[in-house]
Amino acid sequence: MRANRVACQFELSFPDLNRFGLLIQIHPSPILAPPIPLDMPTINIGRDHANHVVITDDSVSRCHAVIMREEDGHTIQDTVSTNGTYVNDEKVDKSKLRAGDRIQLGNHIFCYLHPQDIESQYVETMFQAMTTDALTRTYNKRFLLDSLDQEIAASVHTGQTFCLMFIEMNNLGTIINQYGPIIGDAFLTEFARRVKAQLSVSDLIARFEENRFCVVYRPSHLVQAIAMSERVRNATCKRDFVWGELELAITASVGVSKFDGRNPMEAKQLVQEALLILEESKRNG
């Protein structure tokens, strides 16, 4: 229902954009930022107010990048920016853009919508913005809590158990203070990638808070979940994180709680129990 409403608003508000393309800001504040039409031969992007697209953020250079329109879409070119231009997490000097590409300029991330079939791309992008964390590409807290209510209902019906696991990247604040938010974001994204690599397709992972992720591990017993939490912690901590010439060790803490459909509790209580175990894990090192 919500997706249909978004599609209708898009059709009424942007009737001529099928001829062009769009940039949709997905991080930060994706819902509040208006779409950026790529309706000129060249679009200059940067911090300076002379640009066509102005991003008032010190992580963005005065003249950061330019997007050029071509017969079959667009190309982006970095204009010797300080922090670089990234397309799908790869640093580029110049890159042909494809539908759905993620463009990162400093702390800002955009999704590129190709002129062809732009309305369906827009609806999909808005759905992703409402359900996922754009930076780490995990689900967001809202989606997690909605899913947790459904998981509890299913568990009560079947009598099965599932576990809730919290994983915290302990030294994110120190990294941001010492090296800045861009490197902090890069390390947090890599942290999430390493966690996801240990999970199965049936598990759900969401970014719960700035440096905390939550995993719904199903169906499972507590012993299985604790073993999984150790694999996750080892995967995130045993190998240093690298950004250019910078190489840093990361520490993580994990807390696990179990939901038994035969002895139900509310989602809030389950989350609180797992967070208390996480805090105890942090105190114990």
Side-chain angles (χ1 to χ4, degrees):
M1 182 68 70
R2 183 177 298 159
N4 290 336
R5 185 160 61 247
V6 171
C8 179
Q9 290 174 346
F10 175 82
E11 183 179 359
L12 293 174
S13 302
F14 307 103
D16 300 321
L17 290 182
N18 287 341
R19 295 180 293 133
F20 308 117
L22 284 177
L23 285 186
I24 304 293
Q25 181 175 314
I26 59 175
H27 178 78
S29 303
I31 302 302
L32 300 179
I36 301 169
L38 304 176
D39 54 357
M40 291 184 287
T42 59
I43 305 286
N44 296 311
I45 306 173
R47 198 174 72 248
D48 193 285
H49 286 277
N51 290 288
H52 301 106
V53 178
V54 179
I55 305 175
T56 53
D57 187 318
D58 288 341
S59 67
V60 176
S61 295
R62 292 174 62 84
C63 300
H64 198 110
V66 59
I67 293 179
M68 298 163 286
R69 189 167 69 205
E70 299 174 347
E71 289 186 6
D72 58 346
H74 295 83
T75 293
I76 189 167
Q77 182 171 336
D78 185 77
T79 50
V80 199
S81 64
T82 300
N83 290 317
T85 296
Y86 291 78
V87 176
N88 299 326
D89 301 323
E90 295 291 333
K91 190 174 184 179
V92 300
D93 293 322
K94 187 175 183 180
S95 178
K96 180 72 175 179
L97 294 175
R98 295 173 175 79
D101 278 352
R102 286 164 51 100
I103 301 169
Q104 182 164 358
L105 311 173
N107 293 326
H108 290 251
I109 303 175
F110 300 85
C111 182
Y112 168 71
L113 306 190
H114 192 275
Q116 186 176 358
D117 196 24
I118 199 168
E119 291 188 22
S120 63
Q121 295 175 67
Y122 183 84
V123 172
E124 175 63 21
T125 301
M126 287 296 97
F127 175 77
Q128 292 293 327
M130 289 185 286
T131 59
T132 63
D133 174 64
L135 180 65
T136 61
R137 282 178 266 193
T138 60
Y139 287 110
N140 59 25
K141 184 177 181 178
R142 176 182 175 182
F143 185 87
L144 167 71
L145 295 178
D146 288 345
S147 299
L148 199 53
D149 287 335
Q150 297 174 22
E151 197 70 34
I152 286 173
S155 181
V156 170
H157 178 71
T158 62
Q160 289 186 322
T161 62
F162 70 90
C163 290
L164 200 65
M165 177 167 53
F166 276 95
I167 310 104
E168 179 171 325
M169 180 176 168
N170 294 330
N171 48 345
L172 177 63
T174 301
I175 292 171
I176 292 174
N177 290 336
Q178 290 185 353
Y179 303 103
I182 291 179
I183 291 177
D185 285 351
F187 281 12
L188 183 68
T189 300
E190 172 62 13
F191 183 87
R193 188 196 67 77
R194 293 188 186 186
V195 174
K196 285 190 288 184
Q198 301 302 310
L199 306 178
S200 70
V201 293
S202 64
D203 300 327
L204 183 154
I205 178 172
R207 187 180 180 188
F208 191 78
E209 292 170 339
E210 182 181 14
N211 62 335
R212 285 179 176 174
F213 295 89
C214 182
V215 174
V216 180
Y217 186 48
R218 58 198 179 196
S220 68
H221 298 288
L222 188 59
V223 173
Q224 294 173 306
I226 291 173
M228 167 61 77
S229 71
E230 280 303 303
R231 291 198 296 272
V232 166
R233 195 171 64 83
N234 288 335
T236 55
C237 300
K238 276 198 169 181
R239 183 163 48 91
D240 286 353
F241 285 51
V242 179
W243 172 267
E245 297 181 356
L246 181 63
E247 189 169 334
L248 295 176
I250 300 297
T251 62
S253 300
V254 182
V256 180
S257 63
K258 182 185 76 170
F259 182 90
D260 188 336
R262 297 166 298 181
N263 299 292
M265 66 178 79
E266 293 184 354
K268 183 178 179 181
Q269 182 181 353
L270 181 65
V271 168
Q272 188 61 35
E273 183 178 298
L275 288 174
L276 287 174
I277 296 171
L278 173 66
E279 292 298 329
E280 183 180 349
S281 172
K282 290 170 62 177
R283 287 194 297 270
N284 293 335

